[in-house]
Amino acid sequence: MRQMRRRLGDLLVETGLLSEAQLQATLAEKTAGQKLGDALLQRGLITEQQLIEVLEFQLGIPHISLYRYPFDTKLFTLIPKETAKRNLVIPLKKEGEKLFVAMADPMDFFTVDDLRLSTGFHIETAIATKDDIIRAINKYYDNNDGLDDLIGISTPVMETVQEDSLTESDSPVIRLVNQLLSNASANKASDIHIDPQERKVVIRYRIDGILRVERVLPKHMQNVLIARIKIMANLDITENRTPQDGRIKANLDFHPIDLRVSTLPTVFGEKVVMRILDMGSTLNDIEKLGFNKHNLNRFTNMISKPNGIVLITGPTGSGKSSTLYAALNKLNSEEVNIITIEDPVEYQIEGINQIQVNPNVGMTFAAGLRSILRQDPNIIMVGEIRDKETVEVAVRASLTGHLVLSTMHTNDALSSVTRMLDMGVEPFLVASSLSGVVAQRLVRRVCRDCAEAHEPTKREIDIFSKRGISIETVWKGRGCSSCNMTGYRGRLAIHEVLAVDNELRRAIMNEEPVTVLREFAVRNKTIFLIDDGLLKIKQGLTTTEEVLRVAITE
């Protein structure tokens, strides 16, 4: 087995997908029992599609794309849904005594034996990607299971929905909600939107930052669907006139998920948004956040200082929390006392004291921050600086020898200085307390499986030349089954890291306008958002359209 694993590594090196150094580093770091292919995928060194193509060559087993595959749904009775999900296998077709199945790991002989015994067929295997199989299982197994039962129920019965029908495990509405969550998880959605409209209910998923309609349900299913979600989130199902917030912890497809639920009364009923918190991808290593070397050095220097304020800015959903948590992860050690105050606490980190804001009992950011200062902290993380009171306590904390990390909603790094002055902080206090500001945005990443090189358009060449960068090729995704025909898969961050040096401090103290501050930032070799985006286009990581969607060219 070891010899075969080594051959896989050698094949990847021979095909140029991997360097020898990357292979050796992965072999040294991977956990005991972990397959080399899984370890390489986890580190993002290869894509699942590339791995499958090499495995196909190595094992002589064909690979298959399940996107729009003409499945024979009668065969789904042979392999139960639970078995299919647990072992990542799906039946394709039957020929005489042979049953053809797609598997994520065709070398899993135990599963092949189990299938042979349980179905009575001779099993022929093909390789498919894990995501492809999960998507197909969610789409074709029990596709409308529960929906027909629900749609058949007349409206009056729906209005007076019985609570026991919302809690019995085999109830159609429970199957529907579980199916919505499974699909969202399989599609790597970050949010699920349930939008009530005049004659229908629209379910939308936010995938890679863009909303997409998943399905449309009849209007009479609205109440029962929302009531079920409220029960799961421990919300008051009788109250539908005021907004409510809750949380759902559930096990989905054998792994735990955490959902933040928010309801909002609209003219056509309550709108529900569920934010899916993905534990795995958030507590990232700071070096995997997409900082370029120059920005990474600056950011690491900022958070290594014993005191000062480090701000991370950007609109909602720009990955500020992920960057904050990655920074806390790097600073987290036994020698320091780290205390955070958040609204809400999204991810729980071992070794860090996290406090939840609760305005109903007077536990605001400012009040919590004052109490934290009496707890002998070294590093304080404030979820968000929203008002004068919080910013004043944060400034005071940084001046008395604490490192303060926080977020703010501004368009770029320099606007944060103006925002602090607007909040009523004295210029000399801003100058002496602020260590640096990171502005960030998320852009969609070009799908590595279908990326194609193109010549840049005249407009693209103009945009690049204005910023003093030359460009010869741009990469765009053609659209394939891996990326759902969008040409993009996953996201990466673009950053603007402003380090506050002595010149900039003097300018802030003298209340110079933003244009002057910008000149100092340029002199200090600051890479602005648009520049970092253009450099990432040049590396073939994203497209011009994506960068221009989130960053403005001056």
Side-chain angles (χ1 to χ4, degrees):
M1 197 68 192
R2 191 168 295 152
Q3 185 186 3
M4 182 187 284
R5 278 198 191 137
R6 193 166 68 246
R7 285 215 313 271
L8 170 67
D10 293 342
L11 274 172
L12 287 164
V13 172
E14 278 167 35
T15 50
L17 293 172
L18 208 62
S19 71
E20 186 63 42
Q22 286 173 323
L23 172 63
Q24 295 308 327
T26 307
L27 285 168
E29 288 172 25
K30 79 183 182 73
T31 53
Q34 188 181 25
K35 292 176 186 155
L36 175 63
D38 290 342
L40 291 167
L41 288 175
Q42 198 179 328
R43 285 166 179 71
L45 296 173
I46 56 171
T47 69
E48 216 173 346
Q49 196 64 38
Q50 290 167 338
L51 176 66
I52 278 178
E53 282 162 13
V54 173
L55 280 174
E56 179 182 29
F57 177 72
Q58 182 199 19
L59 305 172
I61 296 174
H63 99 262
I64 191 162
S65 166
L66 303 181
Y67 189 78
R68 294 192 178 148
Y69 185 86
F71 285 99
D72 179 356
T73 48
K74 293 189 194 82
L75 296 178
F76 291 162
T77 52
L78 293 172
I79 303 174
K81 188 176 182 183
E82 289 297 305
T83 310
K85 279 197 167 176
R86 190 181 296 108
N87 300 310
L88 294 172
V89 54
I90 192 165
L92 298 171
K93 59 180 178 178
K94 186 177 73 170
E95 281 181 10
E97 291 300 302
K98 289 181 182 174
L99 177 66
F100 289 81
V101 297
M103 297 178 73
D105 179 9
M107 303 307 290
D108 182 353
F109 298 119
F110 292 113
T111 300
V112 174
D113 273 354
D114 285 349
L115 291 175
R116 187 169 51 78
L117 290 168
S118 64
T119 62
F121 286 95
H122 176 69
I123 304 296
E124 290 284 336
T125 55
I127 317 176
T129 66
K130 188 176 162 185
D131 287 348
D132 234 3
I133 292 174
I134 292 172
R135 265 202 296 264
I137 291 171
N138 282 328
K139 188 171 179 185
Y140 295 105
Y141 268 88
D142 311 331
N143 188 14
N144 287 317
D145 184 23
L147 273 185
D148 298 336
D149 306 356
L150 272 175
I151 292 167
I153 300 175
S154 60
T155 314
V157 182
M158 270 299 176
E159 298 302 329
T160 59
V161 65
Q162 298 298 311
E163 191 159 327
D164 56 359
S165 73
L166 298 172
T167 50
E168 288 166 6
S169 58
D170 62 344
S171 139
V173 68
I174 290 182
R175 291 205 297 268
L176 171 63
V177 171
N178 290 348
Q179 203 182 325
L180 291 176
L181 296 179
S182 291
N183 285 351
S185 178
N187 285 306
K188 296 193 168 45
S190 59
D191 302 82
I192 304 170
H193 288 238
I194 297 171
D195 295 335
Q197 294 179 7
E198 193 171 2
R199 292 192 175 85
K200 59 189 177 185
V201 181
V202 179
I203 313 283
R204 294 188 293 171
Y205 290 166
R206 189 179 289 282
I207 300 169
D208 291 339
I210 306 291
L211 276 170
R212 205 183 71 206
V213 173
E214 165 67 9
R215 62 167 55 164
V216 177
L217 301 175
K219 181 71 175 172
H220 69 251
M221 292 173 64
Q222 179 179 314
N223 290 355
V224 70
L225 180 64
I226 289 168
R228 170 61 192 158
I229 291 166
K230 282 181 162 184
I231 284 173
M232 290 173 79
N234 287 327
L235 300 178
D236 181 355
I237 65 166
T238 60
E239 180 54 77
N240 54 17
R241 294 161 304 173
T242 58
Q244 296 185 66
D245 290 306
R247 212 171 181 145
I248 299 174
K249 279 190 182 242
N251 261 329
L252 206 64
D253 303 340
F254 314 106
H255 70 95
I257 61 157
D258 205 351
L259 298 156
R260 238 168 62 200
V261 182
S262 167
T263 71
L264 186 73
T266 69
V267 286
F268 296 124
E270 283 179 287
K271 174 178 166 67
V272 178
V273 176
M274 294 186 272
R275 159 81 42 104
I276 302 171
L277 302 175
D278 181 358
M279 298 302 292
S281 69
T282 299
L283 298 179
N284 259 330
D285 181 353
I286 207 163
E287 294 180 10
K288 291 180 185 159
L289 292 175
F291 280 102
N292 64 42
K293 277 193 186 133
H294 177 72
N295 281 346
L296 181 63
N297 286 339
R298 281 196 166 179
F299 185 52
T300 315
N301 289 341
M302 276 179 211
I303 62 172
S304 306
K305 289 180 181 171
N307 61 341
I309 297 179
V310 177
L311 290 175
I312 297 173
T313 80
T316 308
S318 59
K320 299 190 295 294
S321 300
S322 298
T323 307
L324 265 185
Y325 282 117
L328 287 178
N329 234 21
K330 186 175 173 65
L331 299 167
N332 191 6
S333 72
E334 286 179 8
E335 292 86 52
V336 290
N337 177 18
I338 303 178
I339 305 182
T340 76
I341 177 157
E342 306 166 61
D343 181 22
V345 173
E346 284 188 25
Y347 301 98
Q348 285 143 21
I349 310 174
E350 202 175 328
I352 292 179
N353 310 288
Q354 293 170 281
I355 302 167
Q356 167 82 48
V357 166
N358 186 353
N360 299 335
V361 293
M363 181 63 158
T364 59
F365 276 120
L369 198 44
R370 275 196 206 92
S371 308
I372 288 173
L373 291 174
R374 295 194 281 277
Q375 290 276 322
D376 181 32
N378 301 83
I379 298 162
I380 300 168
M381 192 266 262
V382 185
E384 191 188 330
I385 290 180
R386 300 177 184 166
D387 50 42
K388 184 179 181 183
E389 212 180 348
T390 313
V391 75
E392 280 175 350
V393 186
V395 166
R396 207 171 309 136
S398 73
L399 294 175
T400 51
H402 303 92
L403 176 65
V404 180
L405 303 174
S406 188
T407 69
M408 206 179 250
H409 289 267
T410 61
N411 290 330
D412 57 10
L414 284 167
S415 309
S416 307
V417 176
T418 323
R419 180 96 176 85
M420 284 177 81
L421 294 171
D422 282 348
M423 282 182 180
V425 183
E426 291 293 337
F428 72 92
L429 287 176
V430 175
S432 48
S433 63
L434 196 62
S435 294
V437 187
V438 178
Q440 95 171 36
R441 298 287 187 283
L442 290 177
V443 291
R444 290 186 291 171
R445 191 188 279 271
V446 171
C447 172
R448 282 162 66 178
D449 291 327
C450 61
E452 293 177 328
H454 290 266
E455 272 194 24
T457 61
K458 186 177 181 305
R459 179 167 174 257
E460 283 173 326
I461 294 168
D462 287 350
I463 291 166
F464 275 85
S465 61
K466 267 182 197 163
R467 310 297 300 178
I469 305 170
S470 63
I471 181 83
E472 277 141 36
T473 48
V474 291
W475 291 81
K476 288 179 182 170
R478 183 180 65 250
C480 64
S481 61
S482 296
C483 59
N484 254 336
M485 294 296 166
T486 58
Y488 297 101
R489 186 179 165 133
R491 288 191 289 177
L492 77 153
I494 58 172
H495 301 92
E496 172 175 311
V497 181
L498 176 75
V500 180
D501 61 353
N502 289 334
E503 276 191 325
L504 204 52
R505 280 205 170 87
R506 213 168 293 123
I508 294 169
M509 247 187 246
N510 295 338
E511 295 187 58
E512 300 280 8
V514 175
T515 46
V516 176
L517 297 183
R518 194 176 181 81
E519 281 166 24
F520 283 123
V522 170
R523 215 176 299 166
N524 195 11
K525 295 191 169 59
T526 301
I527 297 173
F528 292 101
L529 269 176
I530 184 76
D531 300 322
D532 193 33
L534 297 181
L535 291 171
K536 286 189 168 118
I537 295 167
K538 199 170 176 175
Q539 290 170 293
L541 297 174
T542 186
T543 61
T544 316
E545 293 80 6
E546 276 299 293
V547 171
L548 295 182
R549 187 170 62 82
V550 296
I552 37 176
T553 53
E554 286 79 18

